[in-house]
Amino acid sequence: MTKIEPHPLAMDGKDPKNLRGDLIPRERYYDPDFMKQEWQHLWTKIWHIAGREQQLQETGDYIVHDFLHESVMIVRQRDGSLRGFYNACGHRAARLVWDNSSQDSFFCPYHGWRWGLDGILEACPDQDDFPQGDPVGKSTLVEVRVDTWAGLVWYTMDDDAPGLMDYLEPTPELYKGHQFEKTVRVHWLRIELNANWKFWSDNFNESYHTRVVHPQVPPIIDQDHFTSRYEMFPMGHNRIVQMGRPSLRDRLPEGQPHPFDEQLRTWDIDPDSYPDFETKTMQGWLDLKAAKRKLWKEKGYLHYEHLSDEDLTESPFGVLFPNVAIAPGADSFLVWRWEPHPTDPEKCFFDQWTMAYPVEGMGDFVNRTARQAMELKEAEIDLRVYGDGSSVRDLSDQVVFQDWQLTDGQRTGWHSRGYQEPYFAAQETRVHRFHEVLNDYLAGNAPGRD
Ligand code: FES
Ligand SMILES: [Fe+2]
């Protein structure tokens, strides 16, 4: 097999020499002033994900994205394009809409100004009573920049931010063989948690905790740090590419059914044809690539058409700075987004979107790590509050459930007199990098700007 060359922009994400070595003072995890700095220098500068294009199919469909004290709406226009506006009336700023829906125009509930889908005022009562001039056709809502990538709708509040493709660089190129827009969101979860939002940036920027916290994963995705590839990119995004085969270090007890066997059988490979576990893992993994390459069409995996050998079996996991993670697999596209709570720096919202590719004749999508079958149709949102954890016990088969259980302990640890500077493993370099890029933003030195 040919060795995969990392993207030319990739820095070695396991080499601390690629860091400055900034300290990570713990106040950033709870200080309201730090939270204000983040609003001013980070959240108003980045590109946010508002939702999925799938939610905006018809003219007048809109997504409302509430973020901290701000609210933005993204609207499908009559010409098919997307435009975004702050969710505040141009008359005296009343909020226009409260939740995702579809309308021909936006009627302000306060004095009845009516805004077109294009943000231009269409009508208002007592049109002749404005000494400064009739606002109809002239007054507009304040606009935000909108773009799409991966079937996701993005916007930024910053007129000077780089374009979305430059901001995400080189992510769109890394996954150019995927057909994300064809996926179906089979599971849509949003939960309020008791920890600062950066818990997730830290947690998702390392897999060092996986063996301890998620012991069900290594038999499915190799967690060995010496077989994984670590990358950091100039715009602040990081990723790990782990091998989509069992780890040789983590064995299931003899006789226990192995998820890798199931995967091999799906692609007409007999797991019992290998003399031992090592051969099955290493040769079976190569055989799996070859079988997928050969049989994708006849088995109805049409979304494999442009995938590379790496895309077909490996498990890439990227954190898109600062608050999005993506796992673009051959059969699924997982997206996580985590956002600060509007008033409490020690709370956050966490979204998990499980997207799957429809395969002809397949009724359910099975999430390999959660071992959970989900009907292949668009799911409704499931809104939760973690609280003391008792309200989410039915979600205990989710990998992230195991991470949620860590939030209370991190929150108290960050406040402790026993707090020390983190003592990072090389495989945690990306965590440290995240904080350095955050520091750059807060100092007004966001990457990709003059
Ligand atoms: S605030 Fe909207 S019409 Fe007055
Ligand atoms: Fe985790």
Side-chain angles (χ1 to χ4, degrees), residues 89-94 96 108-113 115:
C89 181
H91 176 226
R92 278 172 47 206
L96 292 169
C108 179
Y110 201 167
H111 312 91
W113 283 30
W115 303 90

Short mmCIF file of all heavy atoms in Angstrom, two decimals, residues 89-94 96 108-113 115, ligand 1:
data_model
loop_
_atom_site.label_atom_id
_atom_site.label_comp_id
_atom_site.label_asym_id
_atom_site.label_seq_id
_atom_site.Cartn_x
_atom_site.Cartn_y
_atom_site.Cartn_z
N CYS A 89 -35.70 43.63 14.11
CA CYS A 89 -36.45 44.51 13.21
C CYS A 89 -35.70 45.82 12.98
O CYS A 89 -35.08 46.37 13.89
CB CYS A 89 -37.82 44.78 13.81
SG CYS A 89 -38.87 45.83 12.79
N GLY A 90 -35.80 46.31 11.75
CA GLY A 90 -35.14 47.57 11.40
C GLY A 90 -35.87 48.79 11.94
O GLY A 90 -35.36 49.91 11.84
N HIS A 91 -37.07 48.61 12.50
CA HIS A 91 -37.79 49.74 13.08
C HIS A 91 -37.25 50.06 14.46
O HIS A 91 -36.51 51.01 14.65
CB HIS A 91 -39.31 49.45 13.12
CG HIS A 91 -40.09 50.54 13.78
ND1 HIS A 91 -41.06 50.28 14.72
CD2 HIS A 91 -40.03 51.88 13.66
CE1 HIS A 91 -41.57 51.43 15.15
NE2 HIS A 91 -40.98 52.41 14.51
N ARG A 92 -37.55 49.21 15.45
CA ARG A 92 -37.02 49.44 16.79
C ARG A 92 -36.48 48.17 17.41
O ARG A 92 -36.56 47.95 18.61
CB ARG A 92 -38.07 50.11 17.67
CG ARG A 92 -38.11 51.65 17.41
CD ARG A 92 -39.26 52.33 18.11
NE ARG A 92 -39.37 51.93 19.50
CZ ARG A 92 -40.51 51.96 20.20
NH1 ARG A 92 -41.64 52.39 19.62
NH2 ARG A 92 -40.54 51.56 21.44
N ALA A 93 -35.99 47.27 16.52
CA ALA A 93 -35.15 46.13 16.94
C ALA A 93 -35.88 44.94 17.56
O ALA A 93 -35.23 44.04 18.09
CB ALA A 93 -34.03 46.58 17.87
N ALA A 94 -37.21 44.90 17.51
CA ALA A 94 -37.88 43.72 18.07
C ALA A 94 -37.44 42.46 17.32
O ALA A 94 -37.19 42.50 16.11
CB ALA A 94 -39.39 43.88 17.96
N LEU A 96 -37.75 39.19 15.30
CA LEU A 96 -38.74 38.89 14.26
C LEU A 96 -39.27 37.46 14.35
O LEU A 96 -40.47 37.23 14.21
CB LEU A 96 -38.13 39.12 12.88
CG LEU A 96 -37.84 40.60 12.55
CD1 LEU A 96 -37.01 40.71 11.29
CD2 LEU A 96 -39.16 41.37 12.39
N CYS A 108 -43.24 41.91 11.63
CA CYS A 108 -42.79 42.20 12.99
C CYS A 108 -43.99 42.27 13.93
O CYS A 108 -44.96 43.00 13.67
CB CYS A 108 -42.00 43.51 13.04
SG CYS A 108 -41.47 43.88 14.73
N PRO A 109 -43.92 41.52 15.06
CA PRO A 109 -45.07 41.46 15.96
C PRO A 109 -45.30 42.76 16.75
O PRO A 109 -46.30 42.87 17.44
CB PRO A 109 -44.71 40.31 16.90
CG PRO A 109 -43.23 40.24 16.89
CD PRO A 109 -42.80 40.68 15.51
N TYR A 110 -44.38 43.73 16.64
CA TYR A 110 -44.52 44.93 17.48
C TYR A 110 -45.38 46.00 16.79
O TYR A 110 -46.49 46.28 17.21
CB TYR A 110 -43.12 45.47 17.82
CG TYR A 110 -43.06 46.36 19.04
CD1 TYR A 110 -41.84 46.69 19.62
CD2 TYR A 110 -44.22 46.90 19.63
CE1 TYR A 110 -41.76 47.50 20.75
CE2 TYR A 110 -44.15 47.72 20.74
CZ TYR A 110 -42.93 48.02 21.29
OH TYR A 110 -42.85 48.82 22.40
N HIS A 111 -44.90 46.59 15.69
CA HIS A 111 -45.68 47.63 15.01
C HIS A 111 -46.09 47.23 13.61
O HIS A 111 -46.64 48.03 12.86
CB HIS A 111 -44.89 48.95 14.95
CG HIS A 111 -44.28 49.34 16.25
ND1 HIS A 111 -43.00 48.96 16.62
CD2 HIS A 111 -44.79 50.03 17.31
CE1 HIS A 111 -42.73 49.41 17.82
NE2 HIS A 111 -43.80 50.06 18.28
N GLY A 112 -45.77 45.99 13.25
CA GLY A 112 -46.28 45.45 11.99
C GLY A 112 -45.50 45.82 10.74
O GLY A 112 -46.05 45.80 9.64
N TRP A 113 -44.22 46.13 10.88
CA TRP A 113 -43.42 46.30 9.65
C TRP A 113 -43.25 44.92 9.02
O TRP A 113 -43.01 43.92 9.73
CB TRP A 113 -42.05 46.91 9.99
CG TRP A 113 -42.09 48.39 10.27
CD1 TRP A 113 -43.12 49.09 10.81
CD2 TRP A 113 -41.04 49.33 10.02
NE1 TRP A 113 -42.80 50.41 10.92
CE2 TRP A 113 -41.51 50.60 10.45
CE3 TRP A 113 -39.75 49.25 9.50
CZ2 TRP A 113 -40.73 51.76 10.36
CZ3 TRP A 113 -38.97 50.39 9.41
CH2 TRP A 113 -39.46 51.64 9.82
N TRP A 115 -41.13 42.62 6.37
CA TRP A 115 -39.85 42.53 5.67
C TRP A 115 -39.90 41.41 4.63
O TRP A 115 -40.39 40.32 4.91
CB TRP A 115 -38.72 42.24 6.68
CG TRP A 115 -38.66 43.28 7.76
CD1 TRP A 115 -39.31 43.28 8.95
CD2 TRP A 115 -37.93 44.51 7.69
NE1 TRP A 115 -39.03 44.42 9.66
CE2 TRP A 115 -38.17 45.20 8.91
CE3 TRP A 115 -37.08 45.10 6.74
CZ2 TRP A 115 -37.61 46.44 9.18
CZ3 TRP A 115 -36.52 46.33 7.03
CH2 TRP A 115 -36.79 46.99 8.23
S1 FES B 1 -39.96 47.02 16.20
FE1 FES B 1 -40.62 45.99 14.46
S2 FES B 1 -42.23 47.13 13.73
FE2 FES B 1 -41.56 48.22 15.43
#
